[in-house]
Amino acid sequence: MRFRAILNKDGGTLRSLDLDDFSQRAEALFAEEGHALECRVIGGDAVEAALAEASTAEAVDVMLAGGGDGTISAAAAAAYASGKPLAVLPAGTMNLFARALGMPLDLDAALVAIARGRIENIDIATANGRPFVHQYGVGIHARLVRIRNGMSYRDRVGKMLASLRAILATAIDPPRFEVELVGPEGAKTHVVSGIAVSNNPLGDGPIPVAARLDSGLLGVYLAAGTSSRELVALALDVFTGRWRDNALVSEAEVPEVVLRFPKRKRGNHAVVDGELIPLEPSVTLKLHAQAMAVVRPAEDAA
């Protein structure tokens, strides 16, 4: 098969690599496996255009995206729109979608897994038509990302420390807002500190990723209005994989849900796959079953 790799030189761990050497090794590896790989090293501001071009190019059978979760989310949106299969190179901080795919997190091992992988169809979700592969969130997560984005960090460890500082800053004054959920059983209003909707229900464990990617269902998670102490305790439960046992958390699994924010203020944000976007007064979230083609790692390479 003919692969084109779009490598975001400004994103994730790729910033610290010799990308010319990496590209040469990757192209040689794919050739050994009987494929053709063309690597394009792209600056962050041009990545989306490069992904869009690769997703529709007749000379490309599979698009390979390398970068952080924002790059991978943009690549997934392009792949979903065009029908082009997507391969994911986990070069970010959390690599949430790559983890859900079962992709090795070591870059060299991931290249082998992709070259020897298989194409499968998986689910993808949309929020008012905007595709996402991991999560849509409002409240706690959006505030955390906004605070973290105002901090300076240079590498993965720095970003993780910035996230910890952002959690502590959020805990000082937890968000609290009203949301109306409209689902299969009708409408119900809740007062919460956070709401998250995931592409497939989340599994157990310290890193919240989907247990599978073909259930045909969204995971909907609410965190009831919390005090600072309760929010810190919830954060600890998330980090230790015990969040499902926290009394503040409720969850549901549905193919579609509408969120309405009757008291939304101007300037409020949501977060989609780690990227802040303006919060709309009404958001329709849908699960599109097996609507995107991806490369899953071969069992001997994972």
Side-chain angles (χ1 to χ4, degrees):
M1 289 188 292
R2 299 167 297 175
F3 289 75
R4 180 182 296 175
I6 304 301
L7 306 177
N8 183 356
K9 67 179 183 180
D10 300 322
T13 57
L14 297 183
R15 286 182 293 186
S16 59
L17 290 183
D18 180 341
L19 289 177
D20 289 335
D21 175 70
F22 179 80
S23 297
Q24 290 175 8
R25 289 190 291 110
E27 290 170 356
L29 186 153
F30 272 64
E32 291 175 1
E33 297 294 334
H35 304 297
L37 172 65
E38 174 197 5
C39 290
R40 295 190 179 184
V41 178
I42 307 293
D45 57 352
V47 163
E48 287 197 24
L51 291 168
E53 180 187 357
S55 71
T56 58
E58 293 185 3
V60 176
D61 298 317
V62 180
M63 177 172 60
L64 190 159
D69 287 326
T71 297
I72 302 305
S73 183
Y80 169 61
S82 69
K84 186 85 70 181
L86 173 67
V88 174
L89 187 67
T93 303
M94 297 301 294
N95 300 307
L96 297 170
F97 186 47
R99 292 175 187 270
L101 288 172
M103 193 64 60
L105 299 184
D106 175 81
L107 293 182
D108 289 326
L111 288 173
V112 174
I114 293 168
R116 297 178 181 174
R118 63 194 187 277
I119 295 176
E120 292 184 1
N121 279 17
I122 64 165
D123 302 342
I124 188 170
T126 56
N128 281 356
R130 175 176 177 147
F132 65 95
V133 291
H134 176 55
Q135 184 173 284
Y136 174 94
V138 181
I140 296 170
H141 190 190
R143 181 175 293 183
L144 186 156
V145 171
R146 179 176 58 81
I147 293 173
R148 188 188 64 200
N149 285 353
M151 300 178 181
S152 298
Y153 50 85
R154 294 184 178 180
D155 53 23
R156 178 179 180 181
V157 173
K159 185 174 182 179
M160 294 175 72
L161 291 174
S163 295
L164 179 59
R165 294 198 300 271
I167 290 171
L168 296 175
T170 301
I172 294 173
D173 182 23
R176 187 178 176 88
F177 59 95
E178 188 175 295
V179 59
E180 181 184 32
L181 271 73
V182 184
E185 299 180 358
K188 187 173 182 180
T189 299
H190 304 263
V191 177
V192 299
S193 283
I195 182 167
V197 181
S198 60
N199 172 30
N200 280 251
L202 300 175
D204 297 318
I207 299 178
V209 299
R212 53 186 292 186
L213 290 169
D214 59 356
S215 72
L217 296 170
L218 300 167
V220 182
Y221 306 93
L222 302 179
T226 64
S227 65
S228 296
R229 179 177 297 180
E230 290 171 330
L231 182 55
V232 171
L234 176 58
L236 290 174
D237 285 343
V238 170
F239 288 138
T240 56
R242 301 191 305 243
W243 57 271
R244 273 197 166 94
D245 298 326
N246 192 297
L248 298 174
V249 176
S250 59
E251 60 181 300
E253 298 178 5
V254 296
E256 181 175 340
V257 66
V258 177
L259 308 181
R260 296 174 180 158
F261 303 96
K263 299 180 181 179
R264 177 187 66 99
K265 297 179 181 178
R266 181 176 297 179
N268 286 162
H269 289 86
V271 61
V272 179
D273 287 347
E275 301 293 319
L276 286 176
I277 64 169
L279 177 63
E280 298 177 86
S282 178
V283 183
T284 299
L285 297 119
K286 296 182 180 181
L287 196 287
H288 305 270
Q290 299 186 26
M292 185 173 72
V294 296
V295 176
R296 301 294 292 264
E299 292 183 3
D300 63 340

